[in-house]
Amino acid sequence: DQQVKQNSPSLSVQEGRISILNCDYTNSMFDYFLWYKKYPAEGPTFLISISSIKDKNEDGRFTVFLNKSAKHLSLHIVPSQPGDSAVYFCAASGGTDSWGKFQFGAGTQVVVTP
Amino acid sequence: KAGVTQTPRYLIKTRGQQVTLSCSPISGHRSVSWYQQTPGQGLQFLFEYFSETQRNKGNFPGRFSGRQFSNSRSEMNVSTLELGDSALYLCASSLTGRQNIQYFGAGTRLSVL
């Protein structure tokens, strides 16, 4: 049962433009969300977090938006840079069995072109 | 501050053998979680340890086990290896394991032949 979904397996964006990555979840108990970037043969690198008490969090070029009623979050990267080319995962946690456990989406491959 | 360290980085084993993977968390982090990443299933939660106790467990067979030491370092063991156990095994640490950022190590790539 896939509780976190990233429906776009890939995204191509021009350098300097905005990248928008989307993530949907089904479990209403999820209350804490993370975004990660991953390069091949490396572990995921933390980008930004948001808890359910907020609807937006910004950190430099990265902004995460949370729409609890729609069970949807998105990551905006502005401006996109070639070094942003990687796989991006959203992850969600919450509920009674959430100790140390995040549910991950399948990932979105982002390619930033010059 | 040193990050999460996983050893070894690569392992090749044959079916039926057992393997032990090691994880050293970020200093001060007491929660250690393990995940399996495969192309077909993505990142799947294995288990979490906090203060030497397993607090949470994913849907994996009993061949997968772990432990945590008093210094928060953790080990994961897989017995009677199967071909399907070939995967990237990732360890993540956080302060308390709840509503905390998880920081990942580089992973151990296990190949079962």
Side-chain angles (χ1 to χ4, degrees):
Chain A
D1 175 25
Q2 193 73 10
Q3 298 187 51
V4 179
K5 293 182 182 178
Q6 294 176 256
N7 291 318
S8 298
S10 63
L11 172 70
S12 182
V13 64
Q14 275 191 314
E15 183 178 359
R17 306 291 290 267
I18 183 172
S19 294
I20 300 177
L21 291 83
N22 294 304
C23 180
D24 297 296
Y25 60 96
T26 57
N27 189 338
S28 58
M29 299 296 289
F30 288 154
D31 59 4
Y32 191 64
F33 305 87
L34 304 175
W35 281 94
Y36 290 91
K37 176 170 76 171
K38 188 178 185 302
Y39 296 115
E42 293 184 13
T45 300
F46 167 73
L47 287 174
I48 194 166
S49 66
I50 190 165
S51 79
S52 59
I53 62 172
K54 293 186 171 184
D55 54 18
K56 178 182 173 182
N57 189 25
E58 286 181 82
D59 185 358
R61 296 187 297 115
F62 302 95
T63 302
V64 56
F65 296 90
L66 175 63
N67 183 331
K68 290 183 286 293
S69 61
K71 296 191 183 69
H72 176 84
L73 62 157
S74 62
L75 174 68
H76 292 206
I77 307 173
V78 184
S80 298
Q81 300 173 352
D84 296 333
S85 296
V87 179
Y88 289 77
F89 292 94
C90 66
S93 181
T96 53
D97 70 339
S98 62
W99 289 112
K101 177 181 178 182
F102 278 86
Q103 302 263 24
F104 283 78
T108 297
Q109 173 78 59
V110 172
V111 175
V112 180
T113 57
Chain B
K1 207 178 212 183
V4 178
T5 304
Q6 289 188 247
T7 56
R9 289 294 313 275
Y10 303 94
L11 267 177
I12 300 175
K13 293 285 186 179
T14 56
R15 277 183 301 173
Q17 287 186 309
Q18 75 164 18
V19 66
T20 299
L21 314 180
S22 181
C23 173
S24 293
I26 291 171
S27 177
H29 285 193
R30 297 172 64 191
S31 170
V32 175
S33 298
W34 289 88
Y35 292 86
Q36 180 195 66
Q37 185 181 28
T38 59
Q41 297 296 318
L43 270 142
Q44 300 287 315
F45 173 77
L46 281 155
F47 31 65
E48 186 254 10
Y49 286 86
F50 181 88
S51 291
E52 303 178 66
T53 300
Q54 185 183 88
R55 283 194 306 193
N56 204 354
K57 189 176 188 309
N59 295 325
F60 280 82
R63 299 186 296 106
F64 291 82
S65 64
R67 59 177 174 167
Q68 187 181 36
F69 302 94
S70 59
N71 61 358
S72 294
R73 190 177 71 84
S74 177
E75 287 181 349
M76 186 191 115
N77 185 275
V78 188
S79 63
T80 319
L81 284 166
E82 300 177 359
L83 295 178
D85 296 334
S86 295
L88 179 66
Y89 290 89
L90 291 161
C91 164
S93 76
S94 69
L95 282 168
T96 67
R98 180 76 178 97
Q99 292 246 338
N100 292 160
I101 299 165
Q102 284 190 341
Y103 295 92
F104 282 84
T108 295
R109 170 72 63 185
L110 172 64
S111 298
V112 182
L113 307 178

